[in-house]
Amino acid sequence: MTTLTEDDVLEQLDAQDNLLSFMATANDILLQAIKNFLPSLFVNNDEEIVEYAVKPLLAQSGPLDDIDVAIRLIYALGKMDKWLYADVIHFSQFYQYLREQREIPRFSDDITWDFMSNVNSITTNATLYNSLKSMKFADFAIYSEIRFCHHDQNRAGFSGNDDIKGINTVKISLQINGLMTDAWYDDDEVENVHKPLLRHLATLNAKTPERRTVIFLSAPPGTGKSTLTTFWEYLSRNDPELPTIQTLPMDGFHHYNRWLDEHELRAAKGAPETFNVEKLASNLRQLHEQNATWPQYDRQLHDPVENAIQVTAPVVIIEGNWLLYNAPSWRELRQYCDYSLFIRAPADVLRGRLIARKQAGGLSEEQAQIFFDRTDGPNVCRVLENSLPASLTLEMTAKGEYRLAQALPDEPQ
């Protein structure tokens, strides 16, 4: 296989006149670099293995003729650091997104800037990031030279050096709303935030082992509640000292669409007035019984499905936007919880995350911004400004990491 020089890479990239062709060319270059590297994972110059095993794997349309598959293999074998891995996956996802668009975004469009500013090897390099931020794609040739030289040098740096295995992160695949999602958590965050918090919840449960412990997790849209609580479930299943945790989402208590239509509230779906608070209170009362059920929101029907979840765990975390909402009926829900959590995050960070989420779901940038201004934005403000104090507050940073806003109480010995 041919090895491209840095000049070859820049020449090919600079010849492209639109974003899609630029990304397609970069994808081909990246895939070639990966294929050049992959044989070193399998063989030690054994011609027979190369001919009958490696070549079929790397052949066009073969199992490893796909960046997502190949890069996951390299990362799983500990031959790539987490930032470069996230960088390449992010690149691959953006390229796939571009291929699905009827109208190709331009180099100067905000979505291209969002892609660039979310690439880890840029955001972890303050000098490079600030120079690109001030440039704002004023000259894409300059950007391509800076970014892809740096990117190609990283690719050329793939090696079998065991020192690369120092990856201080936890990466797991979680099922979120029926879809498999890769999530990363820094070791320091896991050891100093998530595990201590879960141990604290375990202590609360141990005080009343005869009944189920009910935790409220309230937070504005965009704070990653579903992923976070699924990660907590994962930690509880893998730590024998922790009781099993079960997450129960609040969105199964949406009013049915027919009710929303009758009350002309379909467009406001997700706001507090579109939930059946009385039914939520009734189900919360039942949680202290041995055999309880919980409704689930069906994202294909766009309506709740009753009794879809069997509640079995000794500790349940109810997650939603409005559990601590300071308004009549909602305030009464606090009597059913043993402990409450709240996630606080900067509103501008949430705006960027929510718009990106809608774009990933197929909306154009303009459509995503309109949806945010009409629905998500007002909900973010209402949650941040009108929530009752929680037992404990977490803070989500601009990078999506979680921190304790205050120390956990000391546990009795």
Side-chain angles (χ1 to χ4, degrees), residues 239-308:
D239 188 334
E241 296 183 359
L242 294 175
T244 302
I245 290 173
Q246 185 175 7
T247 299
L248 301 175
M250 198 189 82
D251 54 6
F253 294 93
H254 274 101
H255 278 295
Y256 284 89
N257 285 332
R258 62 177 181 273
W259 187 96
L260 295 175
D261 290 337
E262 290 169 1
H263 293 79
E264 299 182 350
L265 285 170
R266 176 82 78 102
K269 198 170 188 176
E273 54 270 21
T274 67
F275 285 88
N276 189 337
V277 187
E278 291 74 20
K279 186 174 184 302
L280 174 57
S282 175
N283 277 67
L284 286 170
R285 284 192 294 271
Q286 295 172 16
L287 285 180
H288 292 304
E289 302 173 6
Q290 191 67 25
N291 298 314
T293 62
W294 198 260
Q296 186 169 36
Y297 187 78
D298 189 308
R299 296 183 183 276
Q300 293 182 327
L301 297 175
H302 300 288
D303 259 335
V305 177
E306 303 299 334
N307 304 317

Side-chain angles (χ1 to χ4, degrees), residues 73-124:
L73 173 63
I74 295 171
Y75 182 67
L77 292 173
K79 303 301 183 181
M80 172 182 292
D81 102 312
K82 65 176 180 179
W83 299 118
L84 181 55
Y85 170 74
D87 197 351
V88 177
I89 290 295
H90 181 57
F91 165 87
S92 179
Q93 290 173 341
F94 185 58
Y95 174 51
Q96 182 61 36
Y97 169 80
L98 292 179
R99 294 175 62 188
E100 296 169 355
Q101 303 309 301
R102 293 182 179 179
E103 184 175 342
I104 303 172
R106 298 167 299 175
F107 290 136
S108 58
D109 285 350
D110 283 345
I111 189 171
T112 313
W113 169 247
D114 290 341
F115 158 69
M116 182 194 75
S117 62
N118 279 309
V119 173
N120 285 292
S121 66
I122 290 178
T123 54
T124 54

Side-chain angles (χ1 to χ4, degrees), residues 374-405:
R374 184 187 69 223
T375 303
D376 280 340
N379 287 342
V380 166
C381 291
R382 291 175 78 174
V383 175
L384 289 176
E385 297 172 4
N386 297 286
S387 291
L388 296 165
S391 308
L392 182 73
T393 298
L394 299 172
E395 293 179 345
M396 191 191 77
T397 70
K399 292 184 178 181
E401 299 170 341
Y402 298 95
R403 298 288 181 264
L404 295 172

